Amino acid sequence: MQEKELVRKLQDVKHKDNAFQHLVDLYKERLYWHIRHIVKIHEDADDVLQNTFIKVHKNIDRFKGESKLYSWMYRIATNESITFLNKKAKKQKLSSQELQEHIIENLASDVYFEGNEIQLQLQKAIATLPDKQQEVFNLKYFQEMKYAEMSELLGTSVGALKSSYHLASKKIEKYLKSN
Amino acid sequence: MKNLNKNSNLKSGFKIPENYFENFRIQKLAKAKKATQHESGFSVPKGYFENFEVNSKEQKESKVIALNSRKIVAIAASISLLFLSYLLMNKSNNESINSTYQTVEIDPVLLEDYIDFYIMPNAELFEYTGSSIEFDIAENDFKSLDDDAILNYFEDDFNNLDLND
């Protein structure tokens, strides 16, 4: 189904439920991994993915087609992830940075993390990056997204994305070497 | 994008429960649909909208208030005003008035959830409709890096990446 057709059905009360199921099947994995790299814990990623799709369902009539549907959902997922982490930090009376450190410290004992010590260190290194650099690094390194696609998704020039990725890689390299 | 999920899994060390995606369902959707119908907390009698009709007779008939009734209302209002003034000026009475209003503590997290869900559910959509997201990368942030050093460091993982895209 073409994206325009899918959007038309999503915005049509008669076809909305079927089209929405199709949308979920189409994008659940991509959105899950995007969210997972932000919140790190599977159960939290599942929660945020649920919330993201609910928000998409609720607001699909507002989607004007000015960007790609995935770009729109990606921004919702990003925002939901950040909101989720902020709320979690507040509940645990921690700063965002402290929460991120706490999550990563506990990754080793997470049943849904099977990374080795280097991968654990890599997560710690990523956590030291500014949010935007984390986002670019996750998209490029883990999700292997092409710069052109990333540029469309984030509304940032390819050149800026490349420099951001290189900068992030350099900082990670430095962190890993010194730790 | 190539082999997104497999590579994400391998590179990050993150894994998911078996058949997670196959069994993934939006569990809260029915609840969310229901919630949007009752956001204010107000409800209406069963069949209210189905049976709703404008009663033109009642609308056309204007309410006639007799002069005597108006006088009674004015006198009652004056008495109420005097009584209220007396209460407000009397300190002990003030305390008793205040004591009738109990302070209800609201859990700030619940309040925030409520605001996010009901009051400002679409606040972030203002951002979503924007055509671009600004990055905090200044042009002069770019420094010439030694790509070989980075590639060597990440070894196999980096060898699979096309840095020039």
Side-chain angles (χ1 to χ4, degrees):
Chain A
M1 198 188 304
Q2 293 290 316
E3 186 168 299
K4 277 188 180 177
E5 176 68 0
L6 178 60
V7 171
R8 192 188 62 75
K9 287 187 172 178
L10 283 164
Q11 293 175 341
D12 179 349
V13 180
K14 282 182 186 173
H15 299 102
K16 187 170 183 175
D17 285 349
N18 281 341
F20 184 69
Q21 189 52 53
H22 182 65
L23 181 85
V24 171
D25 291 340
L26 209 57
Y27 293 113
K28 60 188 174 188
E29 293 189 38
R30 285 183 79 182
L31 285 175
Y32 172 86
W33 285 113
H34 168 57
I35 293 165
R36 179 75 186 268
H37 282 113
I38 301 174
V39 301
K40 319 286 184 196
I41 298 169
H42 165 71
E43 287 81 1
D44 291 349
D46 182 51
D47 264 5
V48 175
L49 185 60
Q50 291 274 345
N51 293 341
T52 299
F53 276 120
I54 286 169
K55 207 147 226 177
V56 168
H57 186 276
K58 201 175 167 185
N59 293 289
I60 191 65
D61 291 340
R62 292 166 180 261
F63 178 70
K64 305 294 179 200
E66 287 164 2
S67 63
K68 281 192 172 177
L69 187 56
Y70 180 72
S71 304
W72 184 70
M73 293 196 298
Y74 174 92
R75 290 199 288 275
I76 294 177
T78 306
N79 206 286
E80 284 296 309
S81 304
I82 293 165
T83 303
F84 180 90
L85 288 177
N86 288 342
K87 282 183 181 175
K88 192 171 176 175
K90 202 171 178 182
K91 277 179 188 170
Q92 298 186 14
K93 294 186 169 63
L94 297 170
S95 69
S96 297
Q97 186 61 35
E98 285 169 340
L99 176 73
Q100 204 164 21
E101 285 165 11
H102 175 74
I103 290 170
I104 292 165
E105 285 301 326
N106 287 295
L107 265 185
S109 57
D110 187 336
V111 290
Y112 296 121
F113 182 77
E114 54 184 14
N116 55 28
E117 186 57 33
I118 293 172
Q119 286 167 321
L120 203 56
Q121 287 299 320
L122 179 59
Q123 288 298 327
K124 287 179 185 175
I126 293 168
T128 65
L129 301 174
D131 290 346
K132 294 298 178 189
Q133 283 182 18
Q134 284 191 33
E135 187 174 26
V136 173
F137 187 84
N138 284 335
L139 286 172
K140 189 67 195 164
Y141 183 70
F142 293 122
Q143 301 182 43
E144 297 185 8
M145 192 176 280
K146 287 186 180 298
Y147 285 116
E149 193 180 352
M150 219 190 291
S151 171
E152 199 178 327
L153 195 65
L154 304 177
T156 308
S157 73
V158 167
L161 290 169
K162 282 184 179 179
S163 66
S164 180
Y165 183 66
H166 279 275
L167 207 58
S169 303
K170 194 73 182 169
K171 285 179 185 172
I172 286 171
E173 180 190 24
K174 195 177 171 186
Y175 179 94
L176 292 174
K177 282 180 174 173
S178 62
N179 287 275
Chain B
M1 204 164 19
K2 46 193 175 182
N3 300 326
L4 172 69
N5 303 313
K6 284 179 186 173
N7 287 335
S8 292
N9 207 348
L10 288 173
K11 278 185 171 181
S12 64
F14 291 140
K15 69 173 188 176
I16 52 172
E18 211 176 322
N19 299 323
Y20 170 70
F21 290 121
E22 289 79 357
N23 299 326
F24 181 80
R25 299 282 178 275
I26 308 297
Q27 293 149 3
K28 300 175 189 169
L29 190 59
K31 197 180 166 187
K33 278 183 184 174
K34 203 178 171 186
T36 55
Q37 291 161 9
H38 304 285
E39 283 179 5
S40 66
F42 295 129
S43 63
V44 294
K46 199 176 176 184
Y48 171 74
F49 291 113
E50 289 79 358
N51 301 322
F52 179 80
E53 55 183 45
V54 178
N55 190 335
S56 55
K57 274 186 182 177
E58 275 184 17
Q59 271 196 331
K60 282 175 185 172
E61 285 174 6
S62 57
K63 212 172 182 178
V64 180
I65 302 172
L67 188 62
N68 285 346
S69 301
R70 290 191 183 203
K71 277 183 181 172
I72 291 166
V73 170
I75 291 164
S78 304
I79 292 168
S80 302
L81 195 63
L82 283 170
F83 181 65
L84 192 65
S85 304
Y86 170 76
L87 286 178
L88 290 171
M89 283 186 289
N90 187 308
K91 197 181 177 183
S92 59
N93 280 349
N94 269 351
E95 283 168 4
S96 71
I97 290 170
N98 289 338
S99 67
T100 61
Y101 293 95
Q102 291 179 342
T103 308
V104 180
E105 290 216 1
I106 300 169
D107 181 343
V109 176
L110 283 178
L111 180 65
E112 197 172 306
D113 284 349
Y114 181 82
I115 291 168
D116 287 350
F117 198 80
Y118 294 116
I119 312 296
M120 300 283 287
N122 304 312
E124 71 275 21
L125 288 176
F126 289 109
E127 295 166 30
Y128 302 153
T129 53
S131 58
S132 65
I133 298 172
E134 284 188 17
F135 263 67
D136 55 350
I137 307 161
E139 282 299 318
N140 58 10
D141 273 350
F142 181 81
K143 295 168 186 170
S144 74
L145 302 173
D146 184 356
D147 284 351
D148 289 334
I150 300 170
L151 286 167
N152 287 337
Y153 191 80
F154 287 103
E155 294 177 346
D156 296 338
D157 287 343
F158 262 67
N159 287 334
N160 295 328
L161 292 177
D162 175 13
L163 286 173
N164 295 319
D165 193 32

